[in-house]
Amino acid sequence: RWLESKQGGEVAPATLVFYQGATKKFLDWLGARADNDLATLSQDDITAFRNHAAKTLSAKSVNHELKTLKMIFRDALHRKLITDDPALAVKTLKDKAPAKKMVFTDRQLQTILKDCDEEWRSMVLFGLYTGQRLIDIASLRRSNVNPEKGVIELTARKTSRMMSIPIAPALRKHIE
């Protein structure tokens, strides 16, 4: 029921796909118990699933899936399908290794650009100079680029945020 409620446009399509995947992983982990009443699940079950997932996933990914389960059980509680939320007190995992983001060196960037065809070269350069996600770069149209104002105007797909990004001189040269 919870997943069905999300399909009506309540969340972005990519979010729905994530929810479906996280739910399937949990149900697969439960095995034959997946058909039992929700009230039969305990905090220990949710913790055991979290620990099982931690064997193959990063803490960030495990916590994201745990957050999905917490939403499912909170919804079940609100719908009065259960009287206690077994996920409520399950703690998230600490991320022992903070993400280290690396930037491309000039040499690496030149290698990437050398191997790109014309379309991919533009996508790489637009991504480099705007910092936008690939889906947003791939969706750009000529109408998004306003050379008179010196900006690229777009609505980010993930956040639905309208943006006006200045065109960097090197990107302007490429566009021209």
Side-chain angles (χ1 to χ4, degrees):
R1 288 184 191 169
W2 181 80
L3 276 175
E4 287 173 6
S5 75
K6 302 298 177 198
Q7 291 176 358
E10 190 175 309
V11 297
T15 302
L16 180 61
V17 169
F18 175 80
Y19 288 166
Q20 289 167 333
T23 303
K24 182 178 181 336
K25 283 182 190 177
F26 182 63
L27 293 174
D28 288 347
W29 178 81
L30 283 173
R33 295 185 335 155
D35 291 328
N36 293 355
D37 191 281
L38 281 176
T40 64
L41 295 173
S42 68
Q43 179 179 340
D44 289 341
D45 292 318
I46 308 303
T47 302
F49 172 73
R50 181 202 64 191
N51 296 343
H52 169 77
K55 293 176 184 173
T56 57
L57 298 173
S58 70
K60 183 176 180 180
S61 294
V62 171
N63 292 340
H64 198 188
E65 290 187 358
L66 180 59
K67 180 181 172 188
T68 302
L69 290 180
K70 286 177 177 252
M71 288 189 289
I72 291 169
F73 284 102
R74 188 171 46 248
D75 181 72
L77 188 65
H78 290 304
R79 291 176 189 254
K80 300 187 184 330
L81 299 173
I82 55 176
T83 56
D84 293 307
D85 181 350
L88 183 65
V90 177
K91 304 269 190 243
T92 58
L93 298 176
K94 296 232 185 276
D95 195 355
K96 295 175 186 139
K100 263 179 101 173
K101 296 197 178 197
M102 297 176 50
V103 297
F104 288 114
T105 65
D106 287 341
R107 187 174 184 178
Q108 289 170 324
L109 190 54
Q110 290 305 318
T111 300
I112 291 168
L113 291 170
K114 179 180 64 93
D115 291 338
C116 290
D117 63 20
E118 186 178 326
E119 182 179 18
W120 271 104
R121 181 178 182 79
S122 287
M123 300 230 331
V124 168
L125 291 172
F126 271 81
L128 176 68
Y129 290 111
T130 67
Q132 297 307 297
R133 292 177 176 83
L134 180 60
I135 188 68
D136 293 326
I137 298 300
S139 302
L140 284 176
R141 300 291 174 254
R142 287 186 189 272
S143 60
N144 296 108
V145 180
N146 188 331
E148 292 78 35
K149 283 178 152 177
V151 295
I152 298 168
E153 299 170 320
L154 62 100
T155 301
R157 186 171 292 187
K158 182 175 181 179
T159 62
S160 299
R161 191 172 124 209
M162 294 180 64
M163 300 168 59
S164 183
I165 304 166
I167 300 173
L171 184 56
R172 180 183 289 277
K173 183 178 176 184
H174 174 74
I175 292 168
E176 291 169 354

